[in-house]
Amino acid sequence: MKKNSIPAGGSYGTRIADLYIVHNLAAVNGSSRHTYHAMPPVGWMNDPNGFNEAFGKYHLFYQFYPYGPSWDSMHWGHYTTQDFVKWKLEPTALAPDGQDDRDGCFSGCSVVKDGKLYLIYTSVMGDRQTQSLAVSSDGVSFEKLGVVISGEQLPKGCLKTDFRDPKVFKRGEDYYLLAGALSEKSEGMILLYRSRDLKKWEFAGTIRRDNLTTRGIYECPDFFELGGCDVMFASPQGYRTDDWRYENVQSSVYMLGKLDEKTGVFEKTYEDEIDGGFDFYAPQTMKTSDGRTVMIAWMQMWQRFIPTAKHGWAGAMILPRELSLKDGKLFQNPVREIERYRWNPVHFGNVIIGNRNELTKVNGTKIELCFTLDLGTAKRVGIKLYQGGEHDARIYYDRERDRVIFDRSRMGVEISHDPEEKDATVRSVKVSTEGNRLSMRIFLDVSSCEVFLNGGERTMTGNVYSDGSGVAFFAEGGSARIISLDKYDIVV
Ligand code: FRU
């Protein structure tokens, strides 16, 4: 969207938002802006919504407050893309200007049906949360159709105040909808509803009900089939820390199993955290017409100080990831389209770390790094990123703890955080180091760092606000070796 190109159509609220956007685009300071990640044109972004393919392109909607870089009355912003890398800003899709959603159009999903794109979202009025429908026949402007699931359709003992984030999938002739809810006893719940036409819904069962969500509910549930297995996502508000898992104040979890959609019973066989970094929340998936399951997520976290706010924007999305199941676990890899944007390849083989820690032409802040380490005898071995002066962020293997650590404590900017969160500067994950080897694929984009370990076995996502662009390997307490390294500039 460019200045003087305010689209026709839309509602009163979306037109005001679009006017505001075009007149304020230039006021956003570009210094920390990403180049190949979706971020708000101005203002605030949180959860991805309605991620889908329709009208020959991929659509990403998102929780959006245009008028300032902090969370406020929620709109649905809209981007489209052909490749998950280049994002085209579209007119704002929903604004909180309807009779049922005056206090916010909260998170939800989209469904393509009979050549139309339907948005199913949480409509907020005062302290009441209901599920509403909107429709578009061109994928650009949306007409609200009103509430389709009200608080009256909650099972007994549920609060009408916390009932949100619908995600719809189809099985046979029927549509099913998952939503987060809260019981009167403060239990987090995931509810299931059934419909033939997206308009009339009936309650079908309770998928999950427990007291693990100590700060609220299971937000943003998602559901899909992958490799013959049912996969459910949820973003619990507060979740008990399990050794090195779930250290953020809100987490994202995946569950494998089998859902009986007739009863809502989900036989869970495995559960784990989706990403072991700092900034990853509310993931949502879509199926592409070429058969992939692609996930996107908010690359931020609640209750944190966000340094880019002073530049007029806050929040971004991860680089979308392709999901697969391997050895009964979820594997994540960046969308393959990113490889089309690789430039200036640099290759090194067999480098002893210690002799040459900084490699010629291996630096930058918009880059991809792929390397395999022979961990040798080093106590700690890894890489420093965004290095300059005293500042850096480090990703390394710590032999004593047998974990990979993401340490952003030296990045030069303090991230204040919720007192309940132990710290917002160090995260760790366990991965296999079979054969004393470890491989990493790392994407930097000005102020972000996404790490894929061992071909997607684990990932760590975090924002890094530093002024440096150096890259250096390091080994402490012994020797180690880079078996091979490839570096590319990512140019979009
Ligand atoms: C998750 C969330 C959702 C809600 C939305 C509001 O981050 O709290 O539960 O729909 O954000 O913006």
Side-chain angles (χ1 to χ4, degrees):
M1 226 157 56
K2 294 193 182 72
K3 203 161 177 166
N4 304 324
S5 67
I6 304 151
S11 66
Y12 174 75
T14 62
R15 285 182 66 73
I16 300 277
D18 290 336
L19 263 171
Y20 182 87
I21 294 167
V22 294
H23 288 290
N24 287 276
L25 276 178
V28 171
N29 173 322
S31 53
S32 305
R33 298 279 282 173
H34 307 289
T35 60
Y36 57 93
H37 287 73
M39 7 162 223
V42 299
W44 167 269
M45 167 189 273
N46 60 287
D47 315 352
N49 297 151
F51 194 37
N52 213 338
E53 186 173 344
F55 305 106
K57 48 196 154 192
Y58 304 117
H59 296 256
L60 168 69
F61 303 87
Y62 59 94
Q63 289 288 279
F64 180 37
Y65 181 65
Y67 307 111
S70 54
W71 188 88
D72 211 305
S73 65
M74 282 291 109
H75 296 57
W76 276 38
H78 187 192
Y79 277 106
T80 53
T81 180
Q82 296 287 348
D83 61 8
F84 302 112
V85 178
K86 276 190 168 161
W87 299 93
K88 177 172 178 276
L89 185 62
E90 302 282 354
T92 303
L94 299 176
D97 56 5
Q99 58 175 6
D100 305 299
D101 59 21
R102 223 165 299 139
D103 292 303
C105 301
F106 277 18
S107 285
C109 63
S110 73
V111 173
V112 180
K113 180 175 174 290
D114 305 328
K116 294 186 172 155
L117 183 61
Y118 288 86
L119 308 181
I120 302 132
Y121 67 99
T122 297
S123 30
V124 183
M125 270 293 265
D127 60 3
R128 194 196 69 183
Q129 302 188 342
T130 53
Q131 318 315 318
S132 282
L133 196 62
V135 67
S136 171
S137 33
D138 60 3
V140 181
S141 66
F142 292 84
E143 182 197 343
K144 288 181 185 171
L145 301 177
V147 172
V148 288
I149 309 181
S150 74
E152 308 309 316
Q153 287 160 272
L154 279 164
K156 235 175 120 221
C158 285
L159 298 172
K160 292 179 184 164
T161 50
D162 288 86
F163 175 34
R164 60 179 181 270
D165 307 340
K167 173 74 195 224
V168 172
F169 65 96
K170 198 171 185 196
R171 267 200 182 165
E173 292 296 296
D174 287 323
Y175 292 97
Y176 291 87
L177 179 150
L178 274 69
L182 188 67
S183 81
E184 283 161 357
K185 296 185 191 141
S186 295
E187 294 151 311
M189 304 172 79
I190 299 178
L191 305 178
L192 186 68
Y193 289 81
R194 185 188 304 113
S195 170
R196 262 294 146 91
D197 59 3
L198 299 178
K199 289 173 185 156
K200 262 203 248 108
W201 291 90
E202 59 179 12
F203 176 68
T206 299
I207 298 184
R208 191 160 166 142
R209 177 186 194 136
D210 57 42
N211 50 21
L212 300 175
T213 55
T214 50
R215 297 167 69 105
I217 70 165
Y218 286 102
E219 297 190 311
C220 303
D222 194 8
F223 183 87
F224 53 97
E225 290 168 23
L226 190 65
C229 200
D230 289 341
V231 186
M232 187 160 70
F233 282 1
S235 294
Q237 297 183 289
Y239 210 49
R240 41 125 188 75
T241 305
D242 171 11
D243 194 2
W244 44 274
R245 293 177 175 89
Y246 312 117
E247 291 197 90
N248 294 320
V249 73
Q250 299 194 189
S251 309
S252 299
V253 55
Y254 76 90
M255 295 156 246
L256 305 180
K258 236 356 160 228
L259 174 71
D260 180 346
E261 71 276 12
K262 300 280 172 280
T263 58
V265 174
F266 185 77
E267 293 284 351
K268 189 180 76 178
T269 53
Y270 185 74
E271 174 175 319
D272 206 339
E273 189 168 23
I274 301 175
D275 185 281
F278 313 92
D279 297 300
F280 181 97
Y281 195 64
Q284 194 174 71
T285 60
M286 64 169 289
K287 295 282 183 193
T288 59
S289 49
D290 60 9
R292 293 178 286 168
T293 303
V294 176
M295 173 183 75
I296 193 160
W298 185 37
M299 193 163 61
Q300 257 301 342
M301 184 47 61
W302 289 114
Q303 322 292 353
R304 295 249 183 84
F305 161 72
I306 302 177
T308 65
K310 66 173 182 294
H311 299 319
W313 68 284
M317 296 294 165
I318 61 163
L319 173 63
R321 301 176 184 171
E322 293 180 19
L323 302 182
S324 55
L325 281 188
K326 210 165 130 187
D327 310 327
K329 307 233 164 81
L330 190 70
F331 273 60
Q332 307 170 45
N333 280 289
V335 283
R336 60 197 67 174
E337 288 89 339
I338 190 70
E339 293 168 24
R340 296 186 204 150
Y341 295 92
R342 287 171 164 172
W343 288 87
N344 307 325
V346 178
H347 178 79
F348 282 90
N350 199 23
V351 181
I352 305 291
I353 305 175
N355 291 349
R356 296 166 66 195
N357 290 348
E358 288 181 20
L359 305 173
T360 315
K361 293 191 179 158
V362 178
N363 53 33
T365 62
K366 289 163 261 179
I367 59 172
E368 174 186 353
L369 293 156
C370 309
F371 55 90
T372 303
L373 298 174
D374 170 349
L375 301 172
T377 56
K379 290 212 167 86
R380 290 173 162 206
V381 48
I383 190 163
K384 297 178 189 172
L385 304 159
Y386 290 112
Q387 197 192 20
E390 305 272 276
H391 300 156
D392 63 47
R394 299 179 184 193
I395 318 287
Y396 62 93
Y397 175 67
D398 184 316
R399 190 176 301 277
E400 202 179 308
R401 298 172 70 195
D402 189 24
R403 291 187 200 170
V404 172
I405 318 278
F406 185 163
D407 179 349
R408 62 176 183 179
S409 59
R410 290 174 204 78
M411 68 181 169
V413 174
E414 285 259 346
I415 303 284
S416 58
H417 53 96
D418 191 283
E420 264 183 47
E421 187 177 37
K422 252 197 339 251
D423 118 278
T425 60
V426 180
R427 291 288 177 271
S428 66
V429 296
K430 249 195 160 79
V431 285
S432 107
T433 49
E434 222 181 286
N436 207 25
R437 286 179 177 204
L438 176 68
S439 80
M440 297 197 200
R441 192 166 170 203
I442 299 177
F443 289 84
L444 306 187
D445 191 10
V446 186
S447 56
S448 62
C449 174
E450 290 158 275
V451 185
F452 299 82
L453 297 161
N454 288 339
E457 178 190 340
R458 294 235 170 243
T459 60
M460 302 181 91
T461 302
N463 291 304
V464 177
Y465 310 99
S466 171
D467 38 18
S469 60
V471 171
F473 286 85
F474 68 97
E476 294 169 3
S479 64
R481 188 168 62 97
I482 303 167
I483 298 171
S484 92
L485 162 85
D486 290 286
K487 178 249 166 179
Y488 309 89
D489 293 325
I490 300 289
V491 183
V492 292

